[in-house]
Amino acid sequence: MSQRAESADTVLAPAGAVIFCRVIDNFGDAGVTWRLSKRLRDLGLPVTLVIDAVDVLARLVHDLDPAATDALVRGIRIADWDAFEAEVSAGDLSRIGGVWPSLVFETFGCRLPDAVEAGLCDGRTRLWVNLDYLSAEEWVEGSHMVWGLHPTLPVKKLWFFPGFTDRTGGLLIEDGLDEARRAFDAAAWRRAHGARDGLRTLFFFVYPVNAIDRLAAGLRAAGEPLNLMLAPGEASDMLERALKGDARFNVVRLPFVPQEEFDDILRAVDGAVIRGEDSFVRAQLAGTPLLWATYPTEDKAHEIKLDAWLARFREAWPADAAVPFETYEAASRHWVDGTLEPAEVKAWLDQLPVQKRAAEVWRESLLRRGDLARRILELVPRA
């Protein structure tokens, strides 16, 4: 599929996007596809998001009815997967204007319904993309921008990988990100949300399977009074119980905020212990020092993903730093594999200023590589 129409006789699909998402990684999958939907909307495309867990998406989009099968929210049409598939199988494309648009996404290898794949063979030229998971592993560069032929239909699909290098698709970066960060009043946010003046502030959004007791023991042993802003969920319940009774910690339970407000938390804190993919990316784009809780898997693939990112992030570590990168690397690895020691928690806290310098350098490198959505739009056929 070429970037430009091959001849005047080529029939181009109308401009627009349909994004398909099956939620496996809970808020991560829903969060990435909602962010992609908003990004494409802001770049001028009509967008339909077809998702099999509207209720999960509604936790991030507070004006979305979790029981809705069809909704228009902030200019984006949201459709329940089963209802939409039934309509398409019956030949009804009214929700998308009667014709499959110029850009069709299957996200994270979710596999499109058979009726959708067949519908893409209507003689119109469009781009069909599999947007995959984020990873810093080297193999991603060889798999990015690879075309695959359908086994039975005359249509092909582009594998497109987010990433941290010039040989990947980059990250979703909205226009005005720098301006929003400069205009944000971190001190005012902290005061409004119950943080105590004069204390460093940390944010926690992790998995219940993480070594929360070890983290709590390290925070206690470090001896530093802290504001601890805890996201909703079982993991935060566990951390709060583990620190109960220690007056050095000002524990604040945050509500589940809409996606648009999540960046404010990350901009307001001195460090974050963060999980998943979308939250992990937003912490980096905020320039916030972090410990990353990769999604745990039995085959230890999450440890491989962490090591791959650490190898990239190492490049941003200040050459004149008094603290070696290996100290941060050890805390990150041992947090993920469950062997975190109290001394490593203290070392992580002590080196937050150095991490901040590295995070700012790393953030600038990500911004220079540009926006994933714009890169994809450059590939869409147009006259």
Side-chain angles (χ1 to χ4, degrees):
M1 187 179 295
S2 63
Q3 181 175 336
R4 297 283 180 178
E6 295 181 359
S7 73
D9 297 329
T10 299
V11 180
L12 296 176
V18 178
I19 302 167
F20 288 84
C21 174
R22 286 197 180 277
V23 173
I24 297 173
D25 187 17
N26 209 3
F27 300 116
D29 295 344
V32 171
T33 52
W34 178 242
R35 197 174 297 282
L36 174 63
S37 299
K38 292 187 294 182
R39 188 76 193 103
L40 294 172
R41 174 206 62 194
D42 292 345
L43 292 173
L45 271 68
V47 179
T48 298
L49 172 58
V50 183
I51 188 168
D52 70 343
V54 175
D55 59 330
V56 172
L57 182 63
R59 297 291 302 277
L60 304 173
V61 186
H62 287 190
D63 42 353
L64 171 63
D65 180 353
T69 58
D70 181 42
L72 185 64
V73 179
R74 301 179 218 171
I76 297 168
R77 182 163 296 281
I78 300 168
D80 170 74
W81 183 297
D82 290 339
F84 187 82
E85 181 178 0
E87 291 174 5
V88 172
S89 298
D92 181 6
L93 300 181
S94 58
R95 289 207 219 191
I96 54 173
V99 179
W100 290 104
S102 57
L103 191 52
V104 176
F105 287 91
E106 62 179 79
T107 55
F108 318 124
C110 67
R111 173 68 197 281
L112 301 184
D114 290 342
V116 174
E117 292 187 351
L120 300 183
C121 303
D122 59 1
R124 295 176 182 266
T125 302
R126 61 175 59 81
L127 180 64
W128 174 12
V129 177
N130 176 64
L131 181 65
D132 222 307
Y133 285 107
L134 172 71
S135 178
E137 295 168 80
E138 290 185 4
W139 66 264
V140 167
E141 295 185 337
S143 301
H144 175 61
M145 290 294 292
V146 172
W147 289 98
L149 298 176
H150 194 281
T152 60
L153 299 173
V155 65
K156 56 185 178 179
K157 173 170 53 179
L158 179 67
W159 265 259
F160 197 96
F161 281 82
F164 304 102
T165 72
D166 293 333
R167 295 178 61 190
T168 65
L171 305 173
L172 285 167
I173 302 172
E174 63 271 23
D175 298 337
L177 186 66
D178 268 341
E179 291 80 356
R181 193 173 80 138
R182 284 194 294 269
F184 180 68
D185 189 335
W189 187 97
R190 290 193 295 268
R191 286 193 298 271
H193 290 82
R196 295 176 186 164
D197 291 338
L199 303 186
R200 287 200 291 188
T201 302
L202 305 180
F203 173 58
F204 292 87
F205 179 41
V206 302
Y207 298 110
V209 297
N210 292 135
I212 293 171
D213 284 344
R214 285 179 170 268
L215 180 65
L219 291 172
R220 285 183 181 274
E224 178 183 350
L226 295 165
N227 293 309
L228 304 178
M229 319 299 281
L230 309 187
E234 181 183 353
S236 290
D237 295 342
M238 294 166 64
L239 182 61
E240 185 174 17
R241 285 195 299 268
L243 296 174
K244 188 174 182 180
D246 194 325
R248 292 173 299 177
F249 302 118
N250 175 37
V251 177
V252 177
R253 295 303 299 264
L254 297 174
F256 207 109
V257 300
Q259 189 182 70
E260 289 78 7
E261 296 179 21
F262 190 70
D263 283 349
D264 290 347
I265 301 173
L266 298 171
R267 292 169 181 150
V269 300
D270 299 295
V273 187
I274 205 78
R275 79 184 207 188
E277 177 176 324
D278 187 59
S279 302
F280 171 56
V281 168
R282 300 311 292 187
Q284 292 173 73
L285 293 178
T288 301
L290 59 90
L291 285 177
W292 182 27
T294 48
Y295 189 78
T297 59
E298 292 184 0
D299 62 359
K300 306 294 185 181
H302 61 297
E303 295 181 12
I304 296 172
K305 288 188 70 170
L306 172 64
D307 284 346
W309 181 77
L310 288 170
R312 304 287 186 192
F313 184 63
R314 175 188 288 271
E315 301 168 6
W317 202 258
D320 62 349
V323 181
F325 180 78
E326 287 74 15
T327 302
Y328 173 68
E329 186 176 46
S332 296
R333 286 176 171 167
H334 296 157
W335 160 240
V336 165
D337 70 17
T339 64
L340 187 68
E341 295 294 336
E344 293 174 316
V345 177
K346 184 179 188 319
W348 181 69
L349 291 171
D350 289 344
Q351 67 180 211
L352 282 176
V354 175
Q355 290 180 54
K356 179 63 174 178
R357 290 173 58 196
E360 291 291 344
V361 171
W362 179 246
R363 176 181 182 274
E364 289 302 318
S365 74
L366 299 178
L367 295 181
R368 283 196 301 271
R369 292 191 172 96
D371 171 42
L372 178 149
R374 287 188 183 275
R375 290 188 178 185
I376 290 176
L377 288 184
E378 291 173 356
L379 303 171
V380 176
R382 56 189 184 274

